[in-house]
Amino acid sequence: MKVMEDFFVRKRRELGVTLNEVQRKAVLQTEGPLLLLASPGSGKTTTIIMRIGYLIEEKGINPARIKAVTFSRASASDMKERFKRFFPSLPPIDFSTIHSLAFEVVRDHFRKTGTAYQIIEGDLDSEEQNALDSNHLPLHKKIILRNLFKSIIGENITDDQMDELTTYISFIKNKMIPQEKWSSVKVGVPEAERILREYEAFKKSGHSKLLLDYDDMLTIGNVVLERDRELLRKYQDRYDYVLTDESQDTSTVQHAIIEKLVQKHGNLCVVADDDQSIYSWRGAEPSYLLNFKEVYPDSLTLFMEQNYRSTKDIVSVANQFIKRNKNRYDKNMFTKNPAGKPIKIRSFADYIYQSKYLVQEIQKIENLSEVAVLYRNNSSSIALMNEFDRAGIPFYMKDADNRFFSHWVVEDILNFMRMTFTDKRADIFEKIHLKLNGYISKQQMAALKEIHNNESVFDNLLKYVELQDYQVKLVKANKETFQQMRGMPPLHAIRVIRDRLGYEKAIEKMCERLGFRKEYLLGILNTLEEIAVGLETMEEFASRLKHLASVLKTAKSRKGQNVVTFSTFHSAKGLEFERVYMIDLIDGIIPSSEDYKIGAAEGNAMEEATRLFYVGMTRAKKHLELIVYRKRDGEEVSESEFVAAVRNIMNPPEKQGEDERKSSDTLSKLGQGKSKRQVDRQKQRTAEIAFNPNAIRNRSELIVGRTVKHRVFGTGSIVRVNEEQIQIQFGSNGKTLSVMACLERGLLEPV
């Protein structure tokens, strides 16, 4: 025991690192399977590094006999650097990704069998980029899929469809879904299953070498370890201790590889947090953690629940919030940090005030590197970038994606605008003719292109192309609209394009036909309108887009500088900041409309959305703001139910009921000696304070037998309803309430 004490005392003296009781147990529990469930900010990386150091310094384990598997190359690099700082005199440890380990197995197997292979993933080189639109087929995954899509569907695949298609393929492989069940996996890309079948066939027989993508490394690696006993023994004999980090993000096939690797000795340390599993769409299998005891009956589970990162206010609310989920280990995150300031909930009348408020607040802050603005969807970043660039506030965009500015919707709008400068360009008109309300067919467009008289495309359509009667009127109207748009401010022009020229209706039809996400495409149009605000000419608008594309590229290189960080919730995992602003927290974004649907795992989509929100909250050390708004693009929106949940945690329904009663008494007193108008205003303010976005507002939703929640009385069941009154049984107490009051004041919400 003295040796053990010496290790911790020595490290405290050398590094200034003091471990708590659970962390020390995790370091000392070196033999057999260990599941280490680490809450956010609980010092898991420090614990992992100390555990490896203990194995080497105190147990005399050869560093080469220890294998540490991480989720990403960045994480592996960070762990290597941290280990070197903690133990500078020790040899390096084998930190790598699971893909790297699997590829090593595959490479050994192919050498043994004499199989020629080629990797078809990675960044496209300039030659491959130039070949994207050529007729020959470069050996790159995305180009192969692009060509298969074109040959099967007859159209070019969009970037969004490519993302969804590659995610679909990865999901199937990581989940080890057999071919006969591929059709059961939901995907919006047309003919996705057929494309996948032809893609797999091409990789095996379409070239002299066997073609491999990154997911193949996992699936083939797993099969090799299953079938090649000699190779399996080689890898089992290489390592005596295996550790996996961020295991909540590990997929079925990845777990299978690790299981095979540790079969002989069983010395496996799995570090994870089931509450931070947010990659199920990529094949991650959080249920594996819940079933860990079934796979490893002799395992020990330790809970690292002490948070060293955040204030007591943030930790307490986040801990209660995540308990909404049922499929989880019953953990209780806590902290000994001071209370700090309560979480702030900011609600704006309109979406446009969100970015302006952030600029106003962040301009006051000197240390920008401790500030993060987090959002669910990457599309949120463009409006932010526009406002921050105008205000001169520097930023780093963790998920910088320049594709927004080359998106076909953006190109369409620019082409519409180009047509206002000259309507003689048939080549420009060809790019948009199917997306405006003239309904010009491909055959009519082909006839138009044969005319080379340098006249208006609309005049040529009317004079020389055979049109249907209904088309004549539309073509004339379109010609007139484009003429009226000349010199129009870009914001007004975009709205004319969307409405009078029929572009928004065309998008809706494309969404129905090709499975595009309508909300996403309309979001691009809305963002373009925001960028256009304050600009006087369409030339300025085009220049602004070009400038922002350049700014976005620059933002990628600002990591580590004194700049604000913009990031999605997903990419923020593992990071921490003094101040965190979570934005766009409205119903339909988080949770999304998809989250509300019962998913493949019977409701797990909503639990994952809850975990995603939790990840965002727990990035904050001292200051956390949740930002909502009530209107976007002229339409009413509701705040996220997650925000409502946070509000209820900070201000429980019982207290709200007490506040309402106090407010009512106050109103009575205020009413004495005040005008009716003043009292009405006070009532309105009180009603706004009490507004509940999840409340039942329609009489038709008050159904006998339905379970509802009342702000003051808690959960109960509706017993009787008539025109004026509703009777609800709350446990042993029955209450008769006014139907009108319940609906108008939002006193009831569904359970």
Side-chain angles (χ1 to χ4, degrees):
M1 189 68 182
K2 186 175 185 302
V3 175
M4 296 176 187
E5 291 298 326
D6 285 348
F7 175 78
F8 295 117
V9 170
R10 188 168 70 250
K11 291 305 154 191
R12 186 169 63 224
R13 186 181 66 252
E14 292 172 358
L15 304 170
V17 173
T18 302
L19 301 188
N20 63 36
E21 185 181 347
V22 178
Q23 291 171 329
R24 287 160 68 100
K25 280 183 182 177
V27 169
L28 299 175
Q29 184 65 37
T30 58
E31 309 306 304
L34 169 67
L35 175 59
L36 184 58
L37 292 166
S39 293
S42 60
K44 75 175 176 66
T45 304
T46 297
T47 305
I48 291 168
I49 298 300
M50 291 285 278
R51 189 177 193 273
I52 295 171
Y54 175 79
L55 281 169
I56 300 168
E57 287 192 351
E58 301 301 325
K59 297 205 69 177
I61 304 300
N62 181 346
R65 308 289 299 170
I66 301 170
K67 177 67 175 174
V69 178
T70 62
F71 180 62
S72 66
R73 280 180 290 183
S75 178
S77 177
D78 178 60
M79 297 276 264
K80 281 179 187 174
E81 185 60 35
R82 190 85 69 98
F83 182 80
K84 189 177 178 181
R85 287 206 312 268
F86 274 39
F87 300 96
S89 61
L90 295 182
I93 296 298
D94 187 2
F95 291 99
S96 75
T97 63
I98 186 70
H99 283 85
S100 175
L101 171 64
F103 179 53
E104 204 177 338
V105 172
V106 170
R107 191 174 55 200
D108 280 356
H109 174 70
F110 286 158
R111 279 179 189 154
K112 186 175 174 183
T113 58
T115 303
Y117 66 92
Q118 183 171 330
I119 306 297
I120 57 169
E121 275 201 84
D123 294 333
L124 287 163
D125 60 32
S126 57
E127 185 181 333
E128 289 171 324
Q129 283 283 8
N130 293 333
L132 274 174
D133 298 317
S134 66
N135 293 323
H136 75 287
L137 200 63
L139 295 176
H140 189 280
K141 177 180 181 177
K142 287 191 174 180
I143 299 176
I144 295 169
L145 290 172
R146 191 181 299 275
N147 281 275
L148 286 172
F149 186 94
K150 177 78 172 179
S151 66
I152 293 170
I153 307 300
E155 298 186 24
N156 291 324
I157 191 170
T158 66
D159 289 336
D160 302 327
Q161 287 175 318
M162 179 63 79
D163 283 348
E164 188 171 359
L165 181 60
T166 52
T167 299
Y168 164 77
I169 293 170
S170 287
F171 181 87
I172 281 173
K173 293 188 178 183
N174 276 274
K175 284 282 194 183
M176 300 170 69
I177 297 172
Q179 192 166 335
E180 63 272 15
K181 293 187 177 178
W182 286 357
S183 59
S184 66
V185 179
K186 184 183 175 186
V187 60
V189 179
E191 298 286 354
E193 184 188 354
R194 182 182 165 191
I195 292 169
L196 173 54
R197 290 179 191 277
E198 296 200 15
Y199 171 64
E200 291 301 305
F202 179 83
K203 285 190 299 175
K204 292 182 178 71
S205 59
H207 191 262
S208 58
K209 296 179 181 178
L210 178 64
L211 305 180
L212 302 178
D213 60 30
Y214 290 153
D215 295 313
D216 293 329
M217 294 176 189
L218 299 173
T219 55
I220 295 173
N222 182 51
V223 170
V224 166
L225 291 177
E226 200 166 283
R227 296 177 182 173
D228 190 333
R229 292 293 163 186
E230 183 183 348
L231 199 59
L232 174 61
R233 276 195 302 273
K234 172 186 170 181
Y235 280 89
Q236 287 177 337
D237 292 342
R238 181 183 291 182
Y239 304 112
D240 295 322
Y241 295 89
V242 176
L243 180 144
T244 67
D245 187 24
E246 300 285 2
S247 297
Q248 73 276 357
D249 299 324
T250 306
S251 68
T252 306
V253 68
Q254 293 169 345
H255 285 303
I257 290 170
I258 296 298
E259 278 183 26
K260 293 177 179 65
L261 200 61
V262 302
Q263 271 173 355
K264 287 181 72 173
H265 52 70
N267 295 328
L268 171 66
C269 175
V270 169
V271 184
D273 182 8
D274 52 312
D275 289 332
Q276 295 186 76
S277 180
I278 54 176
Y279 289 106
S280 67
W281 49 275
R282 225 157 52 181
E285 193 64 72
S287 62
Y288 182 89
L289 300 175
L290 300 174
N291 301 326
F292 193 78
K293 199 78 176 173
E294 295 175 18
V295 181
Y296 302 100
D298 300 328
S299 65
L300 173 69
T301 300
L302 293 176
F303 295 83
M304 283 174 54
E305 298 167 305
Q306 184 172 353
N307 179 297
Y308 292 92
R309 174 186 299 157
S310 309
T311 62
K312 192 167 287 184
D313 280 71
I314 293 171
V315 169
S316 174
V317 174
N319 181 58
Q320 290 184 63
F321 174 80
I322 196 61
K323 289 178 183 290
R324 291 167 55 94
N325 282 355
K326 306 304 176 194
N327 299 314
R328 62 183 294 271
Y329 280 98
D330 186 19
K331 300 187 291 296
N332 277 295
M333 181 172 62
F334 70 95
T335 187
K336 294 180 180 178
N337 292 340
K341 295 179 180 178
I343 296 170
K344 292 183 179 178
I345 300 175
R346 300 279 185 191
S347 180
F348 297 107
D350 196 283
Y351 165 76
I352 60 171
Y353 301 120
Q354 176 179 254
S355 295
K356 297 182 188 304
Y357 166 74
L358 289 170
V359 163
Q360 177 185 306
E361 287 296 299
I362 294 172
Q363 276 176 329
K364 305 171 189 173
I365 300 167
E366 287 186 19
N367 190 3
L368 297 179
S369 62
E370 282 294 345
V371 180
V373 182
L374 308 182
Y375 35 81
R376 181 168 197 172
N377 300 325
N378 241 321
S379 54
S380 297
S381 64
I382 305 300
L384 274 179
M385 182 178 69
N386 185 46
E387 285 291 337
F388 275 63
D389 176 68
R390 281 177 168 163
I393 303 175
F395 54 87
Y396 160 64
M397 197 171 294
K398 193 164 191 301
D399 314 279
D401 185 352
N402 236 47
R403 289 180 310 175
F404 174 88
F405 298 100
S406 59
H407 196 282
W408 57 268
V409 169
V410 177
E411 285 299 313
D412 282 348
I413 294 299
L414 289 174
N415 281 324
F416 273 100
M417 290 182 174
R418 289 179 185 118
M419 285 293 293
T420 69
F421 290 95
T422 172
D423 63 4
K424 298 176 181 180
R425 294 276 302 274
D427 58 327
I428 296 175
F429 185 69
E430 183 179 22
K431 294 174 181 177
I432 59 171
H433 77 281
L434 294 173
K435 299 171 184 176
L436 79 167
N437 54 18
Y439 304 106
I440 304 302
S441 69
K442 289 182 179 180
Q443 292 78 11
Q444 290 169 330
M445 187 66 227
L448 177 66
K449 285 173 67 181
E450 294 299 315
I451 304 166
H452 304 286
N453 59 6
N454 199 32
E455 295 293 330
S456 162
V457 293
F458 301 109
D459 289 341
N460 284 339
L461 280 169
L462 292 166
K463 290 177 185 177
Y464 306 114
V465 177
E466 188 176 338
L467 300 176
Q468 300 291 328
D469 290 341
Y470 74 89
Q471 288 180 300
V472 173
K473 184 178 178 181
L474 289 171
V475 169
K476 287 180 179 177
N478 286 339
K479 178 185 178 182
E480 186 179 339
T481 300
F482 275 110
Q483 287 174 340
Q484 291 170 353
M485 286 171 65
R486 285 176 189 164
M488 189 180 281
L491 178 58
H492 189 187
I494 294 171
R495 289 174 177 168
V496 170
I497 293 165
R498 293 177 73 163
D499 184 22
R500 279 167 58 191
L501 289 174
Y503 185 66
E504 195 159 319
K505 284 184 180 177
I507 277 188
E508 290 174 5
K509 288 180 181 176
M510 289 177 71
C511 291
E512 292 171 10
R513 187 165 57 90
L514 297 172
F516 296 152
R517 285 194 298 122
K518 177 183 167 185
E519 294 83 0
Y520 174 63
L521 298 182
L522 295 183
I524 293 175
L525 287 171
N526 296 336
T527 301
L528 290 176
E529 287 193 5
E530 288 176 50
I531 293 171
V533 170
L535 301 179
E536 294 183 4
T537 67
M538 294 182 214
E539 293 96 329
E540 285 180 10
F541 177 71
S543 295
R544 182 69 185 160
L545 289 179
K546 193 173 181 180
H547 168 72
L548 290 176
S550 173
V551 168
L552 187 54
K553 286 180 182 176
T554 306
K556 293 181 183 181
S557 61
R558 287 178 173 159
K559 186 177 182 181
Q561 298 178 21
N562 186 32
V563 294
V564 179
T565 295
F566 294 165
S567 174
T568 60
F569 297 143
H570 281 98
S571 290
K573 191 155 72 72
L575 304 180
E576 59 183 29
F577 304 90
E578 290 286 321
R579 304 174 72 89
V580 169
Y581 299 86
M582 295 169 63
I583 66 168
D584 286 333
L585 303 182
I586 63 167
D587 194 38
I589 292 181
I590 185 162
S592 70
S593 53
E594 288 298 311
D595 294 330
Y596 280 109
K597 296 174 183 175
I598 302 299
E602 296 184 349
N604 278 356
M606 185 59 85
E607 292 220 342
E608 180 150 335
T610 302
R611 294 193 293 267
L612 191 58
F613 197 90
Y614 172 78
V615 165
M617 292 175 69
T618 53
R619 300 310 94 201
K621 296 180 185 177
K622 294 181 179 177
H623 184 99
L624 175 62
E625 286 195 36
L626 312 180
I627 298 180
V628 300
Y629 39 82
R630 299 186 290 279
K631 187 176 284 188
R632 181 162 186 163
D633 308 314
E635 293 186 9
E636 297 289 334
V637 293
S638 301
E639 75 173 12
S640 165
E641 68 172 67
F642 296 158
V643 174
V646 168
R647 184 185 286 107
N648 283 337
I649 291 168
M650 294 193 296
N651 187 19
E654 297 77 17
K655 188 173 183 301
Q656 290 178 24
E658 184 181 327
D659 291 344
E660 283 180 38
R661 284 191 292 273
K662 286 180 181 176
S663 178
S664 179
D665 293 341
T666 303
L667 278 174
S668 297
K669 292 173 184 175
L670 283 171
Q672 298 169 12
K674 290 205 171 194
S675 70
K676 181 179 184 300
R677 186 176 179 186
Q678 288 173 310
V679 173
D680 286 345
R681 278 182 179 172
Q682 185 65 41
K683 285 180 179 177
Q684 184 181 354
R685 282 197 291 271
T686 304
E688 286 174 356
I689 292 169
F691 176 72
N692 178 2
N694 301 317
I696 294 173
R697 300 286 178 181
N698 296 318
R699 188 182 296 268
S700 61
E701 293 179 59
L702 300 176
I703 304 165
V704 172
R706 184 170 195 176
T707 303
V708 294
K709 185 177 180 182
H710 188 278
R711 289 185 176 185
V712 179
F713 305 121
T715 302
S717 180
I718 298 176
V719 178
R720 189 176 296 108
V721 185
N722 60 32
E723 285 298 310
E724 296 181 359
Q725 294 181 323
I726 179 170
Q727 187 177 340
I728 306 175
Q729 192 68 30
F730 299 97
S732 58
N733 298 319
K735 298 285 182 182
T736 301
L737 308 171
S738 162
V739 169
M740 185 177 293
C742 288
L743 295 177
E744 287 184 353
R745 298 179 61 198
L747 298 178
L748 302 176
E749 64 180 80
V751 175

